């Protein structure tokens, strides 16, 4: 187990002196890129997982992605074939919320729309045992507000994984105003079991990583919009000048320009500060449906090999 901690992390037994409530079975709602990654790391850590999606066809696709990603880990000798097979066998897929009845923690990783998440909690919570905790992987929505909509705000918490989940080491943990200490400790212990390092963020718009990262991306789009540099010049400058592994525009395409825009809107509205105004060029790309890698066009054209800068 990775025992890395950073300054924002409390020891697992802080305040209580008691071992945290052990999470033995996990549910995941949403089998998209994040949900399938979360199921992947939970299953590899030995936890039985129930993975649910509203779209039945998303489930075999998620299982196939998980198998492919684990094959890569086998090829790199990070896990054995036996560990891969055992992990895949621990993931049960379902479209029925009743499958969550024995879970100790359900992590919601559905589409980043508040109305979608609230509707999921309404359907989900009647199927949960009273002790079951509920986490959201939201990138930006208020944990306090999401938790308040449920029957268990004290057991509700933000568990913000990074993309791609099996590779990225960080999980941000966000307590809502009502989240109790036992839930916080159990969530920290779960993250440690998944070999993740945690960083604790207060419940403010976009938390820590996206509060800093996405305005930087937005500024890179402004630099492009104002003609300070071309796509290639901006990305090369930040890769070689700031030692970033990816340029900001390349990273924006990877995250999804729609996601970047919606995080800027949450920051702009949530903090009422004009410094967070989304760049008009970012808005225009999203309006055009040029969302980055997922639509094969964003700041780069992914139909070309290697991808060609579009400006
Ligand atoms: P995605 O579009 O890949 O997956 C979302 C999944 O939710 C889809 O499979 C969809 O069918 C499912 N879904 C939608 N409505 C549902 C419902 N009512 N019931 C059950 N399932 C439903 O999105 P994603 O990138 O995996 O993002 C999921 C969450 O993770 C969002 O809250 C997002 O902000 C957050 N997040 C995303 C990233 C990222 O880089 N993509 C990083 C960190 C956190």
């Amino acid at each position: 187990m990775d025992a890395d901690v950073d300054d924002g992390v409390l020891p697992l037994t802080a305040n209580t002196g008691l071992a945290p409530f052990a999470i033995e079975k996990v549910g995941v709602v949403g089998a998209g890129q994040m949900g399938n990654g979360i199921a992947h790391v939970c299953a590899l850590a030995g936890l039985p997982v129930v993975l649910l999606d509203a779209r039945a066809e998303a489930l075999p696709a998620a299982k196939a992605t998980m198998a492919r990603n684990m094959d890569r880990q086998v090829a790199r000798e990070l896990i054995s074939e036996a560990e891969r097979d055992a992990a895949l066998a621990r993931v049960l897929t379902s479209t029925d919320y009743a499958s969550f009845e024995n879970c100790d923690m359900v992590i919601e990783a559905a589409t980043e729309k508040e109305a979608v998440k609230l509707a999921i909690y309404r359907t989900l919570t009647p199927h949960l045992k009273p002790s079951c905790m509920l986490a959201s992987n939201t990138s930006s929505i208020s944990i306090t507000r999401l938790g308040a909509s449920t029957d268990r705000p004290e057991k509700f918490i933000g568990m913000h994984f990074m993309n791609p989940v099996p590779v990225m080491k960080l999980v941000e943990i966000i307590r809502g105003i009502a989240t109790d200490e036992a839930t916080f400790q159990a969530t920290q212990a779960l993250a440690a079991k998944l070999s993740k390092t945690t960083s604790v963020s207060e419940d403010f718009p976009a938390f820590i990583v996206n509060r800093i990262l996405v305005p930087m991306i937005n500024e890179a789009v402004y630099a492009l919009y104002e003609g300070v540099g071309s796509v290639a010049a901006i990305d090369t400058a930040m890769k070689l000048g700031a030692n970033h592994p990816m340029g900001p525009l390349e990273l924006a395409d990877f995250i999804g320009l729609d996601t970047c825009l919606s995080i800027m809107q949450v920051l702009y509205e949530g903090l009422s500060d004009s410094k967070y105004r989304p760049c008009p060029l970012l808005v225009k790309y999203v309006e055009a449906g040029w969302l980055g890698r997922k639509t094969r066009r964003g700041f780069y054209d992914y139909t070309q090999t290697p991808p060609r800068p579009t400006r």
Side-chain angles (χ1 to χ4, degrees):
M1 188 184 299
D2 192 334
D4 280 352
V5 288
D6 69 13
D7 289 338
V9 176
L10 291 169
L12 295 180
T13 52
N15 301 337
T16 62
L18 299 169
F21 173 75
I23 292 168
E24 286 169 0
K25 185 170 181 184
V26 173
V28 179
V29 181
Q33 50 179 347
M34 296 305 291
N36 107 66
I38 295 166
H40 175 135
V41 294
C42 289
L44 267 184
L47 294 164
V49 180
V50 180
L51 177 62
L52 177 145
D53 202 285
R55 292 180 304 121
E57 69 276 16
L59 295 169
K63 260 307 242 318
T65 303
M66 223 177 288
R68 224 175 22 250
N69 289 340
M70 285 190 198
D71 283 346
R72 253 190 247 143
Q73 290 178 299
V74 171
R76 286 187 202 139
E77 297 181 356
L78 298 171
I79 61 171
S80 68
E81 287 185 9
E83 283 168 326
R84 172 199 61 197
D85 296 344
L88 288 172
R90 283 186 202 107
V91 181
L92 173 84
T93 58
S94 174
T95 52
D96 181 0
Y97 282 96
S99 311
F100 289 127
E101 62 180 356
N102 293 320
C103 289
D104 301 305
M105 162 73 99
V106 173
I107 304 171
E108 170 274 308
T111 310
E112 185 75 346
K113 291 207 172 86
E114 191 159 340
V116 169
K117 293 185 188 294
L118 299 187
I120 288 171
Y121 305 151
R122 269 196 303 278
T123 317
L124 165 70
T125 47
H127 295 283
L128 302 180
K129 57 185 183 184
S131 60
C132 182
M133 293 168 281
L134 185 50
S136 178
N137 185 48
T138 177
S139 303
S140 57
I141 304 171
S142 160
I143 297 301
T144 297
R145 201 164 64 235
L146 291 177
S149 80
T150 73
D151 61 350
R152 59 194 75 206
E154 72 290 350
K155 293 193 182 340
F156 194 96
I157 196 158
M159 202 174 183
H160 184 219
F161 290 82
M162 307 291 130
N163 186 21
V165 180
V167 176
M168 299 294 281
K169 295 281 296 168
L170 184 76
V171 175
E172 277 182 298
I173 306 224
I174 308 105
R175 272 178 289 205
I177 200 166
T179 309
D180 67 21
E181 185 64 22
T183 300
F184 176 66
Q185 297 296 339
T187 307
Q188 286 276 30
L190 175 62
K193 192 174 172 70
L194 305 180
S195 302
K196 300 297 184 194
T197 299
T198 58
S199 199
V200 177
S201 167
E202 289 302 317
D203 188 17
F204 281 100
F207 317 130
I208 296 173
V209 172
N210 287 331
R211 166 89 177 249
I212 298 169
L213 179 66
V214 183
M216 183 200 72
I217 287 173
N218 192 51
E219 196 61 31
V221 184
Y222 266 113
L224 180 67
Y225 177 63
E226 292 169 8
V228 180
S230 64
V231 169
I234 291 167
D235 277 352
T236 302
M238 291 305 287
K239 275 195 282 198
L240 303 184
N243 220 12
H244 289 190
M246 285 171 106
L249 300 172
E250 194 185 352
L251 180 58
D253 279 355
F254 181 73
I255 295 170
L257 304 191
D258 52 340
T259 303
C260 293
L261 177 59
S262 84
I263 293 170
M264 285 311 295
Q265 283 161 338
V266 165
L267 284 168
Y268 186 55
E269 284 153 26
L271 297 169
S272 303
D273 188 333
S274 66
K275 77 177 177 181
Y276 296 112
R277 67 202 181 283
C279 177
L281 186 62
L282 179 62
V283 176
K284 199 179 278 186
Y285 269 57
V286 172
E287 284 172 351
W290 297 349
L291 307 182
R293 276 178 183 269
K294 60 187 165 188
T295 59
R296 311 201 72 202
R297 189 187 171 113
F299 294 111
Y300 291 83
D301 175 357
Y302 295 92
T303 62
Q304 315 282 320
T305 312
R308 208 167 53 203
T310 54
R311 293 173 96 89

